[in-house]
Amino acid sequence: MNEIAEKGYAAHYKYKQGSEKEDNLESWINRLQEALENPHTNAVDFVEQFKLNLYSKEIFVFTPKGDLKSLPKGATTLDFAFSIHTEVGMKTRGAKVNGKLVPLSYELKSGDQVDILTSENAKPNPNWLDYSTTARSRSKIKSALKEDRKLIGEDGKEILRRKLKQLKINLNEASVNEMVNYFKLKTS
């Protein structure tokens, strides 16, 4: 009954489930309760500590228009570009954070104002996978790279077909297998 009186029914339910291990949220609430009960706590310090603990797993950054975006801690400018829109992420060329040019690998901090620089000619490259941290941006980059490889493969096939036609060789499975063996390739 004492636990219900102090912490409510949810705590009593947790006690009934037999969970002895105290999780992060419960320990944080206990620290918060102690801070509120302590008469010597400075109000400004309390609010700052509260904000730090509350948002320790995410950061908040601003767009140039002042809109607020929430990203996981450790997110980069590239992740921010993909959080705005996939097309913005795909056309990203660079970024400005708080008015200064920064690399795409720059790790954002809460309160940063981020401006993404785009170009119609820009496209994802394999290095971007090293810079991105969010699952959304990584999957979009991977699918774009896969699409590029597919287009390159189709272009290569067309070039090979034309070259073999000049040499009066038919492009069929037998000729392709012969070339794979000759050039010691793994796949056609």
Side-chain angles (χ1 to χ4, degrees):
M1 276 204 288
N2 183 38
E3 189 171 19
I4 293 173
E6 284 187 23
K7 298 180 182 175
Y9 284 106
H12 183 67
Y13 175 76
K14 184 176 177 185
Y15 169 75
K16 287 286 188 184
Q17 294 296 319
S19 176
E20 298 173 11
K21 188 176 158 186
E22 197 173 88
D23 64 349
N24 289 339
L25 179 62
E26 190 172 331
S27 65
W28 180 76
I29 289 173
N30 287 338
R31 284 195 316 251
L32 180 64
Q33 185 177 9
E34 289 171 11
L36 287 172
E37 291 171 354
N38 186 356
H40 303 294
T41 305
N42 183 351
V44 176
D45 292 340
F46 171 74
V47 171
E48 285 301 315
Q49 186 67 27
F50 182 81
K51 285 194 308 188
L52 285 173
N53 286 333
L54 185 61
Y55 301 118
S56 63
K57 298 275 190 261
E58 60 184 342
I59 59 169
F60 296 96
V61 294
F62 296 96
T63 65
K65 293 181 181 178
D67 297 332
L68 187 66
K69 289 279 186 186
S70 172
L71 295 167
K73 192 171 188 169
T76 62
T77 54
L78 190 58
D79 295 318
F80 176 79
F82 277 98
S83 76
I84 292 174
H85 195 278
T86 301
E87 285 303 311
V88 173
M90 294 293 185
K91 302 288 183 192
T92 299
R93 186 163 180 240
K96 284 184 180 180
V97 175
N98 302 325
K100 295 179 183 173
L101 264 158
V102 295
L104 294 178
S105 59
Y106 180 81
E107 191 174 312
L108 297 171
K109 297 167 194 64
S110 276
D112 284 344
Q113 182 183 23
V114 185
D115 186 14
I116 299 297
L117 308 172
T118 60
S119 170
E120 287 301 314
N121 299 333
K123 62 180 185 174
N125 67 54
N127 291 339
W128 283 15
L129 291 172
D130 297 334
Y131 308 149
S132 69
T133 58
T134 62
R136 180 173 189 246
S137 61
R138 292 181 67 77
S139 69
K140 298 293 182 184
I141 293 167
K142 284 179 184 177
S143 65
L145 293 174
K146 188 176 181 181
E147 187 67 30
D148 280 351
R149 280 193 299 271
K150 185 178 176 184
L151 290 173
I152 290 169
E154 288 172 4
D155 290 345
K157 188 175 182 179
E158 181 59 29
I159 292 168
L160 179 63
R161 188 192 59 74
R162 279 190 260 141
K163 190 65 173 170
L164 291 177
K165 188 176 180 182
Q166 281 179 347
L167 300 170
K168 295 180 177 47
I169 300 172
N170 290 332
L171 181 61
N172 56 28
E173 195 171 328
S175 61
V176 170
N177 286 337
E178 214 174 296
M179 285 186 281
V180 168
N181 288 335
Y182 179 79
F183 291 111
K184 297 177 181 139
L185 301 172
K186 294 176 184 173
T187 64
S188 59

